[in-house]
Amino acid sequence: MTLIDAHIHCGHNDPDLFALLAELDLKFLNICVAHDSHGGWRDQADAYGQLAQQRPDRFAWCTSFDLPRLEDPTYLDQVLAGLDQDFAAGAVACKIWKNIGMEVKAADGDFLMVDDPLLAPILEHIAGAGYTLLTHIAEPLACWQPLNEQDPHYGYYSRNPQWHMYNKPEYPSHTRLMAARDHMVANHPNLRVVGAHLGSLEYDTAEVAARLDRYPNFAVDISARLADLAVQDSAKVRQFFIDYQDRILFGTDMVMHTPFAEMSAADKSAALNRLRDTYAVHRAYLEGSGPVQVRSYQTEGLNLPADVLTKVYRTNAEQWYPQMSN
């Protein structure tokens, strides 16, 4: 069974990568991230799109759009035209990143939230075209809490203090960002929305479940949140997967921006082994029944039923990103 990693950043046209994908029977959904308002992310789109055209059996891609240019009256038309071009070129979805809500400012000087009316025509356009919106709105709850060496996100925030919002009251709270995301999902019931990283509610599967119950057009991926699952009660997490088996997508959020061609042989081998090890740990946790080590956390494998694994590993991605199966 082909396993679809529905959230990754690894767009290398490399025979050794292709061999690994064949060995592990993997397909990558590469995700574009828009960092600016002037198209600087388009190199990602070009690389990801070319790979998907060349090897549709192993690659698909998700586009994005430039951040708002409030002074540009043509901004909206350009975004819609760009989305149409990317969808015609094979993109299966569009992503909004955490800079919406946490970095970009609206005309009134406040932070631009994902439910802002400025973005509504873009979201309706995506829905009308039959595509899916992938959202990374907010950060893990630990972003707003004191640094804690026992928390799964300590390493990231200790290395990236610009994204650590503890004692920064000038930035939006986690609660406000989640409310805006939820409002957006409710306002666009015909839009399929996938919440990356367990919908930024990684700290409690019950919080994820509450949104899935409330919004039938909402699903989540588990990318970069395996450790958050591992620190929760395994029986509770297992039941979450079973109860919401049609709404949970597999993903890793592995980031490999440096081209393999620019790596030494040793570094390339290490990068490929890192990929191999990442999938081994995920599979041990989701499939196994005994003790599993996830980073520094000891937990129990979920031993998910085969039919649930098939959905999480492949068919949910094909349902929530239907153009992947075309």
Side-chain angles (χ1 to χ4, degrees):
M1 177 187 69
T2 300
L3 187 156
I4 297 175
D5 187 334
H7 193 136
I8 195 167
H9 312 268
C10 184
H12 305 312
N13 193 334
D14 182 273
D16 291 332
L17 175 61
F18 299 160
L20 180 64
L21 296 180
E23 172 193 335
L24 301 181
D25 199 3
L26 287 169
K27 182 172 183 175
F28 285 174
L29 174 54
N30 274 314
I31 309 298
C32 290
V33 178
H35 292 275
D36 60 39
S37 60
H38 301 290
W41 57 276
R42 289 301 310 182
D43 57 336
Q44 300 171 32
D46 292 342
Y48 294 162
Q50 289 172 12
L51 271 177
Q53 288 181 348
Q54 294 169 10
R55 295 294 307 271
D57 58 326
R58 295 299 179 194
F59 295 94
W61 69 292
C62 169
T63 188
S64 189
F65 56 88
D66 291 353
L67 299 179
R69 297 187 294 271
L70 300 179
E71 74 291 346
D72 183 353
T74 69
Y75 169 75
L76 181 59
D77 289 339
Q78 290 185 39
V79 167
L80 300 186
L83 287 172
D84 287 342
Q85 288 179 339
D86 287 346
F87 293 149
V92 302
C94 175
K95 181 179 183 177
I96 289 181
W97 195 49
K98 64 187 180 184
N99 43 20
I100 299 293
M102 298 185 72
E103 192 172 67
V104 178
K105 296 293 185 70
D108 63 2
D110 195 6
F111 288 89
L112 182 81
M113 295 289 122
V114 71
D115 63 343
D116 191 282
L118 174 68
L119 301 178
I122 300 172
L123 305 184
E124 284 301 302
H125 189 80
I126 296 168
Y131 288 82
T132 299
L133 180 73
L134 174 64
T135 61
H136 176 174
I137 300 301
E139 284 282 84
L141 187 61
C143 173
W144 286 267
Q145 298 173 338
L147 287 175
N148 175 2
E149 292 186 12
Q150 304 306 311
D151 186 89
H153 303 283
Y154 171 79
Y156 179 80
Y157 293 121
S158 62
R159 295 190 304 268
N160 297 275
Q162 73 275 18
W163 287 111
H164 188 223
M165 298 303 158
Y166 179 66
N167 274 344
K168 296 179 182 178
E170 67 273 22
Y171 286 90
S173 66
H174 184 269
T175 298
R176 182 185 175 192
L177 291 162
M178 290 294 90
R181 193 276 314 283
D182 292 349
H183 187 224
M184 179 274 291
V185 175
N187 275 357
H188 300 277
N190 296 320
L191 175 65
R192 288 186 302 272
V193 181
V194 175
H197 318 310
L198 289 168
S200 293
L201 297 164
E202 71 300 317
Y203 60 94
D204 188 354
T205 56
E207 289 292 332
V208 184
R211 271 56 173 206
L212 297 176
D213 289 341
R214 196 178 307 159
Y215 308 115
N217 58 323
F218 189 56
V220 296
D221 72 37
I222 66 169
S223 60
R225 298 297 180 265
L226 196 71
D228 295 280
L229 294 172
V231 299
Q232 298 179 55
D233 178 72
S234 293
K236 175 184 174 182
V237 174
R238 184 178 193 273
Q239 195 60 49
F240 168 72
F241 272 86
I242 291 172
D243 290 345
Y244 299 95
Q245 59 188 266
D246 299 315
R247 314 277 291 281
I248 304 170
L249 285 66
F250 180 83
T252 63
D253 198 26
M254 291 281 285
V255 179
M256 293 191 170
H257 289 321
T258 302
F260 286 168
E262 297 178 9
M263 295 182 181
S264 67
D267 287 345
K268 180 179 178 179
S269 177
L272 292 169
N273 284 333
R274 180 172 162 237
L275 277 171
R276 184 181 284 106
D277 292 345
T278 294
Y279 294 109
V281 171
H282 279 75
R283 298 195 73 156
Y285 176 70
L286 295 171
E287 300 173 25
S289 57
V292 178
Q293 189 79 19
V294 178
R295 287 166 44 185
S296 62
Y297 308 104
Q298 186 79 19
T299 187
E300 291 291 319
L302 300 185
N303 191 26
L304 292 174
D307 58 337
V308 174
L309 288 167
T310 296
K311 292 178 180 181
V312 172
Y313 282 158
R314 189 188 75 224
T315 59
N316 286 348
E318 294 172 338
Q319 291 293 321
W320 285 87
Y321 300 112
Q323 290 78 13
M324 284 194 71
S325 57
N326 290 348

